[in-house]
């Protein structure tokens, strides 16, 4: 693994089904993020984690949950998918800046294209 | 939340220079990022300005004025492969950034 990977690449899902999007990084970054990208709306933060064992809500968290059991993995779960969750999902990671709270460069995975019917 | 404003689309000619502007609300955190995103691909990091002024990196330069909440990305000697969306991202809280909706740049022959 080099960098950050996501799986699956794409998925078509029936409404009401549960789905987990996987994200793994090998850069030993403390912080990880999940974004969704929709036409005209740009990248919007769903959930984030500043370190293993902690998570936080972003701008659009409803309908999504995350966990951070270790440094490398940050799965995103849709408990009961709805059509409005059709989007491209990007996972990203970054170091924790030594200047407390100052954001650092984020590196993105290749994305998961999800369609909910 | 953070309000970021950048033009939706721009068109420029191969070999020319183009400037993409970005304005944002200043916050307690410094720094302004620029990312490039080709259609169907992930965003990739271009530049990070923490201090005021111009930083040059090959054909790409980025400028920041923290007091004015203003940044621009300057692309010189445009090539067809520079056709992409350019995303401005400003600090949006502890360890987080907020992305603009992006500027779609089309380079024409």
């Amino acid at each position: 693994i080099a960098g950050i990977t996501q799986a699956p690449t794409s998925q078509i899902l029936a409404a009401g089904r549960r789905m987990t999007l996987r994200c793994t990084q090998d850069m030993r970054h403390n912080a990880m993020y999940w974004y969704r990208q929709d036409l005209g709306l740009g990248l919007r933060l769903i959930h984030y984690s500043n370190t293993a064992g902690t998570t936080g809500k972003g701008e659009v968290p409803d309908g999504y949950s995350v966990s951070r059991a270790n440094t490398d993995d940050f799965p995103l779960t849709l408990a009961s998918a709805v059509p409005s969750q059709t989007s491209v999902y990007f996972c990203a990671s970054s170091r924790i800046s030594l200047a407390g709270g100052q954001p650092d460069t984020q590196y993105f995975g290749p994305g998961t294209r999800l369609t909910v019917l | 939340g953070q309000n970021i404003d950048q033009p939706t689309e721009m068109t420029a000619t191969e070999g020319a220079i183009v400037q993409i502007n970005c304005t944002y609300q200043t916050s307690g955190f410094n720094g302004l990022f620029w990312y490039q995103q080709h259609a169907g691909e992930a965003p990739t990091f271009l530049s990070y300005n923490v201090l005021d002024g111009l930083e040059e990196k090959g054909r790409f330069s980025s400028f920041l004025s923290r007091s004015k909440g203003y940044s621009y990305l300057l692309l010189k000697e445009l090539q067809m492969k520079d056709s992409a969306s350019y995303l401005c991202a400003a600090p949006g809280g502890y360890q987080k950034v907020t992305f603009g909706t992006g500027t779609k740049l089309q380079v024409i022959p």
Side-chain angles (χ1 to χ4, degrees):
Chain A
I1 296 177
I4 184 164
T5 59
Q6 294 183 233
T9 302
S10 65
Q11 182 75 44
I12 298 174
L13 189 66
R17 297 296 295 268
R18 181 184 179 88
M19 176 75 192
T20 295
L21 308 185
R22 300 184 297 279
C23 174
T24 300
Q25 53 103 0
D26 66 353
M27 297 176 283
R28 308 306 294 172
H29 285 168
N30 282 323
M32 296 188 75
Y33 310 85
W34 273 105
Y35 295 91
R36 59 178 291 173
Q37 188 172 38
D38 304 287
L39 195 64
L41 296 177
L43 284 162
R44 293 182 293 168
L45 183 65
I46 304 170
H47 285 288
Y48 65 94
S49 169
N50 286 331
T51 189
T54 68
T55 62
K57 294 181 179 180
E59 181 184 355
V60 288
D62 294 344
Y64 306 95
S65 63
V66 292
S67 61
R68 187 87 184 277
N70 56 61
T71 297
D72 299 345
D73 301 300
F74 191 42
L76 177 74
T77 297
L78 289 67
S80 179
V82 295
S84 62
Q85 292 178 311
T86 294
S87 187
V88 180
Y89 291 86
F90 288 104
C91 179
S93 70
S94 73
R95 297 176 305 178
I96 292 290
S97 171
L98 294 178
Q102 186 73 23
D104 208 328
T105 302
Q106 294 186 18
Y107 297 89
F108 285 80
T112 294
R113 184 173 296 274
L114 181 67
T115 302
V116 183
L117 301 176
Chain B
Q2 173 66 265
N3 288 324
I4 297 177
D5 191 30
Q6 53 180 131
T8 303
E9 294 182 348
M10 298 182 73
T11 301
T13 305
E14 190 175 15
I17 299 173
V18 71
Q19 178 175 313
I20 302 174
N21 296 323
C22 171
T23 58
Y24 65 98
Q25 286 183 322
T26 56
S27 69
F29 299 108
N30 292 320
L32 195 290
F33 298 86
W34 284 96
Y35 286 80
Q36 181 190 57
Q37 186 177 25
H38 284 100
E41 298 182 7
T44 56
F45 170 74
L46 281 180
S47 68
Y48 179 29
N49 292 62
V50 180
L51 301 176
D52 291 349
L54 185 68
E55 291 198 9
E56 300 185 64
K57 192 187 298 184
R59 294 189 299 112
F60 291 9
S61 302
S62 54
F63 171 85
L64 178 66
S65 169
R66 290 172 294 171
S67 62
K68 294 181 179 178
Y70 170 67
S71 174
Y72 67 73
L73 181 69
L74 195 69
L75 292 75
K76 304 175 188 175
E77 301 169 16
L78 279 172
Q79 302 176 8
M80 298 301 292
K81 67 179 182 179
D82 297 331
S83 292
S85 288
Y86 292 86
L87 313 179
C88 166
Y94 186 90
Q95 291 290 346
K96 296 193 293 291
V97 296
T98 299
F99 285 85
T101 54
T103 298
K104 186 176 181 180
L105 174 66
Q106 182 181 13
V107 180
I108 58 176

